[in-house]
């Protein structure tokens, strides 16, 4: 097997790759990170466990701290893949990886920044207390700045939105802070522009919709009122006919959250023919039942 190749990698080959990661030259380390990143994507629990057993996460973190730009880029991609498991996330957190990833998020660009945001999202989801640590460390400000600048690469904005979603769902203070900075308006504007210009990729729009849903995880009357007067439902409805399943699912969940929080938004969905559009989407196996539940809740509280 050549290092850096993409494809099926056995657990034994991956173990040899981790050994090369520790003992090889800088070039070999970069290539080994590529193998780890591709091997640990998707449902590859055994592969991620193998990286952990052989001490991969601490060495990847050392590459982030001491490596050159190429090594930082490769190590960040590998960490984004291996941290999808709880045990690897805990290991990275134990070795102060949260702070290192935040620093990389602040100083890097492009795909390296996207990988750092993706790894952070995994830590937020898998490690209790990590959201609070990151928030105290100023991570929310960095993430929101990345999302706000249109010149930032789309993949970095997408992954940063995902990291923010994970933080909002677990730390109400971060949601309140983002709302006070005009974050809800920024999310609606991000969603509003593509509906008029047919631009914006489904992954970016899915992450923005997911971020909006996460902001409603905890009750926040000012946010609910803002969504009502901003006619958030009318921003989401145009995406229902999309052919992208992930985007449609994310929009469906956002509508569920918005309608569950507000009777007025529920009425807007009905009055703007959103229900008819969702009925058509139901034929594409979208979780329409969740939106129906939100509708029922809204009308019950009418």
């Amino acid at each position: 097997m050549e290092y850096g190749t993409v494809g099926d990698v056995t657990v034994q080959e991956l173990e040899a790759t981790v050994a090369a990661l520790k003992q090889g030259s800088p070039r070999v380390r970069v290539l080994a990170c590529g193998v780890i990143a591709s091997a640990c994507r998707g449902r590859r629990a055994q592969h991620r466990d193998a990286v952990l057993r052989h001490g991969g996460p601490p060495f990847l973190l050392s590459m982030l701290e001491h490596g050159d730009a190429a090594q930082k880029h490769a190590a960040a991609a590998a960490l984004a893949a291996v941290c999808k498991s709880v045990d690897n996330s805990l290991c990275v957190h134990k070795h102060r990886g949260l702070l290192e990833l935040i620093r990389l998020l602040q100083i890097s660009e492009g795909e390296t920044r996207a990988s750092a945001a993706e790894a952070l999202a995994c830590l937020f989801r898998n490690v209790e207390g990590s959201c609070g640590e990151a928030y105290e460390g100023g991570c929310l400000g960095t993430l929101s700045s990345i999302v706000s600048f249109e010149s930032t690469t789309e993949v970095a904005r997408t992954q940063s939105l995902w990291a923010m979603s994970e933080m909002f769902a677990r730390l109400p203070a971060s949601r309140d802070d983002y709302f006070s900075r005009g974050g809800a308006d920024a999310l609606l504007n991000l969603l509003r522009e593509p509906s008029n210009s047919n631009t914006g990729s489904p992954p970016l729009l899915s992450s923005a919709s997911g971020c909006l849903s996460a902001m409603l995880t905890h009750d926040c009357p000012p946010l609910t009122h803002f969504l009502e007067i901003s006619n958030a439902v009318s921003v989401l409805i145009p995406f229902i006919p999309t052919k992208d399943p992930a985007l449609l699912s994310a929009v469906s969940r956002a509508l569920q959250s918005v309608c569950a929080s507000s009777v007025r938004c529920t009425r807007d969905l009905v009055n703007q023919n959103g229900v008819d559009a969702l009925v058509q989407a139901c034929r594409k196996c979208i979780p329409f039942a969740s939106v129906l539940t939100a509708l029922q809740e809204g009308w019950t509280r009418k």
Side-chain angles (χ1 to χ4, degrees):
M1 180 191 71
E2 293 183 7
Y3 292 113
T5 58
V6 177
D8 291 334
V9 178
T10 68
V11 172
Q12 291 74 22
E13 289 173 329
L14 189 59
E15 291 171 349
T17 301
V18 176
L21 181 72
K22 297 178 180 180
Q23 302 169 6
S25 66
R27 174 61 178 163
V28 169
R29 291 174 183 174
V30 169
L31 294 173
C33 284
V35 174
I36 292 171
S38 61
C40 293
R41 289 284 178 185
R43 299 180 178 179
R44 299 285 184 86
Q46 289 184 327
H47 291 70
R48 289 190 286 268
D49 289 345
V51 174
L52 179 64
R53 281 197 311 272
H54 291 271
F59 198 84
L60 291 170
L61 289 173
S62 72
M63 290 177 64
L64 286 189
E65 185 176 2
H66 304 295
D68 58 19
Q71 291 186 58
K72 291 180 188 295
H73 173 80
L79 283 167
V82 302
C83 283
K84 295 188 184 303
S85 75
V86 174
D87 289 339
N88 274 308
S89 292
L90 289 169
C91 180
V92 168
H93 185 261
K94 177 183 177 181
H95 288 83
R96 301 180 59 82
L98 181 70
L99 297 177
E100 195 62 41
L101 287 167
I102 293 174
R103 189 177 75 86
L104 184 65
L105 187 74
Q106 294 169 339
I107 66 173
S108 61
E109 297 180 350
E111 292 185 4
T112 304
R113 173 175 276 180
S115 295
E118 185 179 359
L120 282 169
C122 293
L123 262 65
F124 295 163
R125 184 178 66 250
N126 294 331
V127 182
E128 184 177 358
S130 60
C131 291
E133 293 178 43
Y135 177 66
E136 293 298 327
C139 185
L140 178 60
T142 302
L143 291 169
S144 60
S145 296
I146 293 171
V147 172
S148 298
F149 291 123
E150 294 183 4
S151 59
T152 305
T153 61
E154 195 167 89
V155 65
R157 296 175 79 190
T158 298
Q159 297 298 345
S160 295
L161 282 165
W162 180 34
M164 288 166 57
S165 299
E166 298 290 351
M167 182 181 286
F168 295 157
R170 291 160 180 80
L171 191 68
S174 65
R175 184 273 319 274
D176 296 340
D177 186 0
Y178 187 60
F179 176 62
S180 69
R181 302 184 191 194
D185 190 37
L187 288 176
L188 289 180
N189 285 335
L190 193 157
L191 290 164
R192 190 176 284 119
E193 293 172 4
S195 65
N196 295 327
S197 60
N198 294 321
T199 60
S201 73
L204 176 64
L205 301 175
S206 296
S207 293
S209 299
C211 203
L212 187 61
S213 298
M215 291 186 74
L216 291 163
T217 303
H218 307 279
D219 185 45
C220 181
L223 173 58
T224 299
H225 178 65
F226 172 79
L227 294 175
E228 290 175 344
I229 63 177
S230 300
N231 203 359
V233 169
S234 69
V235 177
L236 293 167
I237 287 177
F239 294 108
I240 296 175
T242 181
K243 295 181 180 179
D244 185 271
L247 175 57
L248 196 47
S249 180
V251 169
S252 176
R253 289 193 299 270
L255 283 169
Q256 176 193 3
S257 300
V258 170
C259 290
S261 69
S262 167
V263 174
R264 176 173 169 179
C265 289
T266 304
R267 292 172 179 162
D268 290 343
L269 181 65
V270 174
N271 294 334
Q272 297 177 30
N273 298 319
V275 174
D276 292 339
L278 285 166
V279 169
Q280 296 298 320
C282 185
R283 298 174 181 174
K284 304 175 184 178
C285 300
I286 299 303
F288 179 54
S290 62
V291 181
L292 282 180
T293 301
L295 283 170
Q296 184 178 11
E297 291 175 0
W299 287 115
T300 299
R301 294 185 291 105
K302 178 178 177 183

